[in-house]
Amino acid sequence: IVMTQSPATLSVSPGERATLSCRASQSISSDLAWYQQKPGQAPRLLIYGASTRATDIPARFSGSGSGTEFTLTISSLQSEDFAVYYCQQYNKWPRTFGQGTKVEIK
Amino acid sequence: EVQLLESGGGLLQPGGSLRLSCAASGFTFSNYAMSWVRQAPGKGPEWVSAITASGTNTNHADSVRGRFTISRDNSRNTVYLQMNSLKAEDTAVYYCAKGVATTTSYIDWWGQGTLVTVSS
């Protein structure tokens, strides 16, 4: 299953909303996770089951979608949110990641 | 707290072999699937291999099948990745990753990674 993320780069001002998209090449139900990765660090789980926040993830992060279309929304960007975000499907093997969306400061 | 400590990375020539290890602590290791995920410089993650909690079932990406083998020792809380016939395109940071159940789905904890460089 090919995961396609858009846009590749998103320029956003602090305090603004960011909307990231992820599309699956076939239906994956709600078997989708989102991760955040900062430079030099391992990815961190944000969302699983398409919309459930992982432990200790702030409420400004929300996920939605099912089937083939998914969205990660960051309601009010904080300085620590500027990073690369990846989606990953776990409906079928091999588990696959998108190519990432970089959220940068505008 | 969960800790995953990878070791075994390094620089080696094409065709060589390497074994990565990941020592786990802070959770009941034998209850969770484990995986290896790699990330080439400037690229997104790629799931390499996964093993169920009991070690009965494994999965490997097409790109490494027949060359890499994942295994685990639940008595030592350690997961391994044996890598043979290494190619330049295997160059990446290799992360040890913990699943959330006995079988592989998504990852809730990642190690800090170990760098494998394949170059002549």
Side-chain angles (χ1 to χ4, degrees):
Chain A
I1 299 176
V2 177
M3 306 302 293
T4 303
Q5 292 185 243
S6 60
T9 304
L10 188 60
S11 298
V12 185
S13 299
E16 290 187 340
R17 174 188 295 259
T19 302
L20 290 65
S21 296
C22 175
R23 174 177 293 178
S25 60
Q26 60 185 267
S27 178
I28 59 169
S29 186
S30 295
D31 297 335
L32 185 94
W34 289 94
Y35 303 88
Q36 175 194 68
Q37 188 176 32
K38 297 180 181 178
Q41 296 184 16
R44 177 176 72 144
L45 177 67
L46 298 176
I47 301 283
Y48 61 92
S51 61
T52 302
R53 277 190 304 278
T55 303
D56 295 331
I57 300 303
R60 64 181 181 272
F61 290 92
S62 63
S64 63
S66 66
T68 61
E69 301 284 343
F70 301 88
T71 301
L72 175 69
T73 301
I74 312 171
S75 60
S76 177
L77 271 158
Q78 307 297 302
S79 58
E80 61 267 30
D81 300 335
F82 292 96
V84 180
Y85 293 82
Y86 296 98
C87 61
Q88 177 242 316
Q89 66 81 20
Y90 51 95
N91 185 262
K92 284 187 171 50
W93 184 265
R95 310 315 191 201
T96 45
F97 293 86
Q99 79 280 16
T101 291
K102 180 179 181 180
V103 178
E104 64 177 24
I105 301 174
K106 185 175 183 180
Chain B
E1 179 180 284
V2 172
Q3 290 195 357
L4 301 171
L5 185 60
E6 302 100 334
S7 60
L11 171 64
L12 65 164
Q13 294 187 338
S17 296
L18 202 61
R19 189 176 84 156
L20 305 182
S21 299
C22 171
S25 61
F27 64 102
T28 305
F29 182 73
S30 59
N31 286 353
Y32 295 94
M34 298 293 294
S35 296
W36 289 94
V37 179
R38 68 184 180 185
Q39 190 169 28
K43 302 294 186 183
E46 177 190 16
W47 211 302
V48 175
S49 300
I51 188 166
T52 55
S54 65
T56 302
N57 293 305
T58 62
N59 277 293
H60 298 277
D62 288 345
S63 57
V64 306
R65 188 172 293 117
R67 300 188 298 123
F68 291 11
T69 302
I70 188 171
S71 62
R72 65 191 293 161
D73 184 340
N74 284 349
S75 68
R76 295 178 182 271
N77 289 357
T78 302
V79 61
Y80 305 96
L81 185 67
Q82 177 67 44
M83 304 187 294
N84 299 329
S85 303
L86 280 159
K87 307 175 182 180
E89 51 264 41
D90 295 320
T91 294
V93 174
Y94 283 72
Y95 294 102
C96 174
K98 172 186 169 292
V100 297
T102 56
T103 57
T104 305
S105 56
Y106 57 92
I107 295 166
D108 67 348
W109 205 271
W110 302 65
Q112 282 307 300
T114 186
L115 178 62
V116 173
T117 303
V118 183
S119 175
S120 55

